[in-house]
C-alpha cells in the first residue's frame, strides 16, 4: 500500500534517527494491520518515521525508529535482546548514494513495497523521493520486517531489518 503522508516534509537527517523498544503507540499518519498466522502486526508510519507493534500469545513487542526530539538512543548498527519469551534482533545500515542512483533506488523500493500485500509506504509532500517504507513477513515461526527511510537531500537511505521469534533452546548433548 502506498500513500502520500499529509504532513509537512521536515528536512531531517539520517543521523537524527533514534531506536527504541517498548514505546507506547505514537500518533500515526498511516497504519496497516496484518494477521500473520498467530501474530497481529501493525505497521505504522509516523511523521518522524516508523513504529511496528507485534502481538502474539507469547506477548507483545513495540519497535520505534524515528526522529524523536530529546531521544538519547541513536540508531544502533545492531541489537540482540530478549523481549519476554522472544529473541529480538535488529540491524541497521546507512547507504550514501549519488543523486541518480538514489532516485532509481527510491523508485525500486517504493514499487516493491506498494505492490506487496504486507507492505506500507508513505511519501512526503515536497520531495518525490522522501519516503518511509515497511514490509513484514512471517517465516518458520518468526516475524520479520524491513524498513527503509529515505533522505534525498543528503543522498542517504537508512535500511533496517528486524527479526522476532521464540527463543530456541540449544540441543542437549
Amino acid at each position: 500500500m502506498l500513500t502520500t503522508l499529509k504532513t509537512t516534509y521536515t528536512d531531517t537527517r539520517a543521523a537524527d534517527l533514534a531506536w527504541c523498544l517498548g514505546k507506547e503507540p505514537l500518533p500515526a499518519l498511516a497504519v496497516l494491520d496484518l494477521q500473520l498466522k498467530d501474530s497481529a502486526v501493525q505497521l505504522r508510519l509516523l511523521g518522524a518515521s516508523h513504529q511496528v507493534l507485534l502481538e502474539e500469545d507469547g506477548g507483545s513487542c513495540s519497535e520505534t525508529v524515528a526522529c524523536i526530539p530529546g531521544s538519547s538512543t541513536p540508531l544502533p548498527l545492531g541489537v540482540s535482546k530478549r523481549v519476554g519469551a522472544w529473541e529480538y534482533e535488529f540491524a541497521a545500515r546507512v547507504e550514501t548514494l549519488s543523486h541518480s542512483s538514489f532516485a532509481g533506488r527510491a523508485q525500486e523500493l517504493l514499487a516493491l513495497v506498494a505492490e506487496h500485500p504486507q507492505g506500507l509506504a508513505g511519501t512526503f509532500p515536497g520531495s518525490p523521493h522522501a519516503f518511509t517504507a515497511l514490509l513484514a513477513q512471517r517465516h518458520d515461526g518468526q516475524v520479520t520486517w524491513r524498513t527503509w527511510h529515505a533522505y534525498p537531500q543528503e543522498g542517504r537511505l537508512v535500511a533496517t531489518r528486524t527479526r522476532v521469534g521464540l527463543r530456541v533452546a540449544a540441543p542437549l548433548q
Side-chain angles (χ1 to χ4, degrees), residues 78-134:
V79 173
S80 183
K81 306 182 71 138
R82 188 157 186 187
V83 177
W86 292 332
E87 289 293 326
Y88 170 92
E89 292 179 6
F90 172 87
R93 77 175 191 285
V94 179
E95 296 177 54
T96 302
L97 304 164
S98 69
H99 181 71
S100 60
S101 293
F102 189 94
R105 183 80 172 125
Q107 290 174 340
E108 175 184 280
L109 288 169
L110 284 172
L112 168 78
V113 176
E115 295 175 14
H116 198 287
Q118 295 160 196
L120 175 63
T123 57
F124 291 90
S127 178
H129 301 122
F131 69 90
T132 299
L134 301 93

Side-chain angles (χ1 to χ4, degrees), residues 18-19 39 53 87 105 121 137-138 140 146 148 154 166:
W19 167 87
S39 302
L53 308 176
E87 289 293 326
R105 183 80 172 125
Q137 298 180 357
R138 183 177 175 97
D140 290 338
R146 297 180 66 190
W148 298 271
E154 57 182 17
L166 286 177

Side-chain angles (χ1 to χ4, degrees), residues 6 17 20 24 26-28 39 48 51 59 66 94-96 100 103 110 151 154 156-158 160 169:
K6 295 182 181 12
L17 282 176
C20 180
E24 292 296 317
L26 296 171
S39 302
Q51 188 172 51
V94 179
E95 296 177 54
T96 302
S100 60
L110 284 172
Y151 298 91
E154 57 182 17
R156 291 200 172 161
L157 182 68
V158 178
T160 74

Side-chain angles (χ1 to χ4, degrees), residues 7 10 23-24 35-36 54 56 101 107 131 144-145 150 166:
T7 187
T10 305
K23 193 172 251 337
E24 292 296 317
Q35 191 65 42
L36 305 177
L54 169 63
E56 202 174 276
S101 293
Q107 290 174 340
F131 69 90
T144 62
W145 57 87
L166 286 177

Side-chain angles (χ1 to χ4, degrees), residues 7-100:
T7 187
T8 305
Y9 177 65
T10 305
D11 192 23
T12 59
R13 301 172 311 130
D16 293 337
L17 282 176
W19 167 87
C20 180
L21 269 181
K23 193 172 251 337
E24 292 296 317
L26 296 171
L29 299 172
V31 173
L32 179 62
D33 289 306
L34 301 170
Q35 191 65 42
L36 305 177
K37 294 195 180 182
D38 297 333
S39 302
V41 178
Q42 187 176 75
L43 305 179
R44 303 168 58 81
L45 292 175
L46 312 176
S49 270
H50 89 260
Q51 188 172 51
V52 177
L53 308 176
L54 169 63
E55 300 252 347
E56 202 174 276
D57 287 342
S60 64
C61 179
S62 165
E63 173 190 279
T64 306
V65 172
C67 301
I68 303 170
S71 177
S72 60
T73 306
L75 189 65
L77 294 178
V79 173
S80 183
K81 306 182 71 138
R82 188 157 186 187
V83 177
W86 292 332
E87 289 293 326
Y88 170 92
E89 292 179 6
F90 172 87
R93 77 175 191 285
V94 179
E95 296 177 54
T96 302
L97 304 164
S98 69
H99 181 71
S100 60

